[in-house]
Amino acid sequence: MTGPGSQRAKAAFANVLINTLIANVTTSFLWFALTFWVYIETQSVLATGIIGGAYMLLVAFFAMAFGTIVDRHRKHTVMMISSVISAVAFMVAGALYLWQPESSLLDLGGPWFWLFSAVILFGGVIEQLRNIALSTTVTLLVAEDKRANANGLVGTVQGLAFLVTSVFSGLSIGFLGMGWTLAIAVVAMALTFAHLLFIRIPESTPEADPNSASALDFRGSVTAIRLAPGLFALIIFSTFNNLIGGVYMALMDPYGLTLFDAQTWGFALAFASTGFLIGGGLVAKFGLGPKPMRTLLLVVIVMGLLGSIFMLREWWPLYVVGMWLYMILIPPVEAAEQTIIQKVVPFARQGRVFGVAAAMEAAAAPITAFLIAPIAEFLIIPYMRTADGQRQWGWLLGEGEARGIALICFFAGLIMVVAALLAFLTRSYRQLTDLYAHAPEQEIPAEGAESEGTDATGSAAPQKTGSDAVDAGEEQRPPDAPPPVRGFPPEMNEPRR
């Protein structure tokens, strides 16, 4: 029997992590390259903004369906599907590039630009299917006491992908052009698929959930979240945190480009992104402690303080070092959320919960970015350039071209701090902390295990009915209740009324 923590499981997890690294680098590489290519050729901030916002909104739109797919199929199968669809999408984009002249693909008023961009974005969004599967694979392959460390490694992989793509996408577009960049992406996805063929993940075929009929299965997702007291509050808090993060997403590049030229800013961003690697490495080495929820809130408080101070003066070392420290803190926050879900949500339903979380959190940042950008451009920034604005806030923010951006980020950071401090006082925090401490270890069916209701030969196993069930101590369950999950107490399997 192969269980989490065995040598076979460790080898499988290492291979999956490497495979995910290649896939994430490839999809991010092409997405960044598309953004750079469009901006260089058209100088249209609107087009690049739409591409970035559309990507996050597509993730939000598909994430719940992705979660259902992950729960219904073997994780290895899901990863194979993700690789194939992404590779096909990039091949279609390559065919469009060869078929149509660049002038047509760059005509924002024509259909080919939007079709070409949509195909590449779709191939990139499908990667989220693999990422959700990876989160559940941590539960499948890693022992409970090492899952926080494993989630740190996942954060390191994501940080490395961001670091590599932020540098090499621009170089590829600058030296090779969009055509060869597409060719590189197709080859890399083909290699990812080929590598997956040689990976063996020890897992059983998921049992069908009779209450999960639709592709979205919103009801099953909500039920799974409600069974873990406090979990919905955690997802809401993470979504709110992403709303505040959307402020930084919208204003980070404009502020950086007031301090640096475009080339230097690219290298500064690449340096700051090494914080992802360090943060993920620290979690992989030291874990998150016995109370990951407390760790998450403490780290968010520090993030808010950093976000408030790293623009207080228009001084590039303060900004770059502040960004670097901020990015160090992102992997612990994400790892904490993943570790909690992996402990308190039954394995059979984790895909749907991760899907809901991804949908809500992905939608949050672009919504804020779309709202804050016009407010900053037409209200706050002009105000801070007036004598009244400089007189009122100059003592705090000093002088410079981008004091309006600094003012917005100052208050955004303070809001983040206050929200985290208030979260410590909530009932949901206490409930989720207690649930995490006392939730039993996940019982994951061994590879090759038969589904419930069949014996070893595949014939229907006898079911207890009527008095037999009562004599065996089984409670009668309402017809709309989700299927029981082995290893969890009865009250966690019952829907809340």
Side-chain angles (χ1 to χ4, degrees):
M1 177 177 177
T2 302
S6 70
Q7 287 301 317
R8 185 182 175 193
K10 290 178 181 178
F13 179 69
N15 277 289
V16 167
L17 209 56
I18 293 170
N19 191 271
T20 301
L21 172 62
I22 300 171
N24 281 355
V25 166
T26 302
T27 52
S28 298
F29 167 77
L30 190 54
W31 179 59
F32 272 70
L34 174 66
T35 304
F36 294 159
W37 181 64
V38 169
Y39 182 75
I40 289 170
E41 298 294 336
T42 68
Q43 298 295 304
S44 172
V45 175
L46 175 63
T48 56
I50 290 174
I51 289 171
Y55 176 83
M56 298 301 293
L57 292 176
L58 283 172
V59 170
F61 180 78
F62 284 109
M64 287 185 59
F66 289 168
T68 304
I69 291 170
V70 168
D71 278 345
R72 288 179 176 177
H73 300 87
R74 290 175 180 260
K75 312 308 174 254
H76 183 265
T77 302
V78 170
M79 293 179 183
M80 296 277 284
I81 292 172
S82 174
S83 294
V84 170
I85 294 177
S86 293
V88 170
F90 297 160
M91 290 174 66
V92 171
L96 287 172
Y97 183 85
L98 294 174
W99 181 33
Q100 294 293 322
E102 282 199 1
S103 58
S104 296
L105 296 177
L106 290 168
D107 179 9
L108 304 185
W112 297 112
F113 167 78
W114 301 107
L115 178 61
F116 181 71
S117 300
V119 170
I120 292 177
L121 287 179
F122 179 73
V125 167
I126 290 296
E127 185 61 19
Q128 187 64 31
L129 177 60
R130 176 196 295 272
N131 291 335
I132 293 174
L134 178 62
S135 295
T136 63
T137 303
V138 171
T139 310
L140 177 68
L141 299 178
V142 180
E144 181 184 311
D145 60 340
K146 295 295 182 182
R147 283 180 193 146
N149 309 75
N151 289 323
L153 290 174
V154 172
T156 301
V157 163
Q158 293 168 343
L160 185 58
F162 183 84
L163 171 63
V164 170
T165 54
S166 63
V167 175
F168 287 101
S169 294
L171 294 176
S172 181
I173 290 297
F175 290 106
L176 301 176
M178 191 64 191
W180 282 108
T181 300
L182 278 164
I184 292 171
V186 171
V187 171
M189 288 308 300
L191 291 175
T192 302
F193 176 78
H195 181 231
L196 270 174
L197 293 174
F198 295 95
I199 297 176
R200 293 293 179 266
I201 299 177
E203 56 180 329
S204 62
T205 302
E207 297 176 4
D209 186 345
N211 296 294
S212 173
S214 69
L216 287 176
D217 191 24
F218 181 74
R219 178 185 177 188
S221 304
V222 171
T223 299
I225 293 171
R226 290 175 63 192
L227 291 177
L231 182 58
F232 184 68
L234 170 62
I235 295 174
I236 292 295
F237 179 81
S238 297
T239 302
F240 177 79
N241 196 34
N242 276 27
L243 282 170
I244 302 300
V247 174
Y248 297 104
M249 184 179 80
L251 302 178
M252 184 172 68
D253 285 333
Y255 190 85
L257 291 170
T258 64
L259 302 178
F260 306 99
D261 58 37
Q263 293 85 352
T264 307
W265 169 236
F267 284 104
L269 186 60
F271 165 75
S273 67
T274 62
F276 281 117
L277 305 183
I278 295 172
L282 290 173
V283 177
K285 175 67 174 177
F286 301 106
L288 297 165
K291 296 181 178 179
M293 187 65 193
R294 180 181 63 183
T295 302
L296 182 151
L297 294 180
L298 290 174
V299 172
V300 168
I301 290 171
V302 178
M303 290 176 72
L305 293 174
L306 277 172
S308 293
I309 66 176
F310 71 171
M311 296 184 190
L312 287 182
R313 291 295 183 273
E314 205 157 289
W315 185 40
W316 73 261
L318 175 65
Y319 184 54
V320 173
V321 173
M323 276 199 310
W324 179 70
L325 293 173
Y326 190 94
M327 291 185 182
I328 287 176
L329 299 177
I330 292 175
V333 171
E334 295 181 347
E337 182 183 9
Q338 291 174 341
T339 302
I340 292 167
I341 292 174
Q342 288 158 356
K343 177 71 179 289
V344 305
V345 176
F347 176 71
R349 301 174 191 153
Q350 283 183 11
R352 281 163 284 183
V353 174
F354 279 118
V356 169
M360 294 176 64
E361 293 163 20
I367 288 173
T368 311
F370 291 150
L371 290 175
I372 202 65
I375 292 173
E377 183 169 350
F378 298 115
L379 294 177
I380 306 300
I381 292 175
Y383 167 72
M384 286 302 297
R385 288 174 177 165
T386 65
D388 183 52
Q390 293 170 5
R391 183 172 56 253
Q392 185 168 359
W393 296 102
W395 64 274
L396 175 65
L397 302 174
E399 299 179 353
E401 297 181 31
R403 296 302 82 202
I405 294 177
L407 181 65
I408 294 171
C409 291
F410 173 75
F411 280 106
L414 290 184
I415 291 172
M416 192 181 295
V417 171
V418 171
L421 288 172
L422 292 176
F424 272 116
L425 305 178
T426 62
R427 180 186 177 194
S428 296
Y429 167 74
R430 296 189 297 272
Q431 286 180 321
L432 193 55
T433 299
D434 182 69
L435 178 61
Y436 182 88
H438 297 98
E441 185 174 353
Q442 297 273 5
E443 289 189 13
I444 302 170
E447 183 180 12
E450 300 295 331
S451 299
E452 275 189 51
T454 62
D455 60 20
T457 65
S459 303
Q463 303 292 323
K464 295 183 178 71
T465 57
S467 60
D468 293 335
V470 176
D471 292 340
E474 297 179 4
E475 297 181 357
Q476 299 298 310
R477 302 174 57 76
D480 62 339
V485 179
R486 293 187 299 275
F488 279 73
E491 61 270 17
M492 289 186 63
N493 286 309
E494 297 295 339
R496 301 190 181 276
R497 303 292 182 185

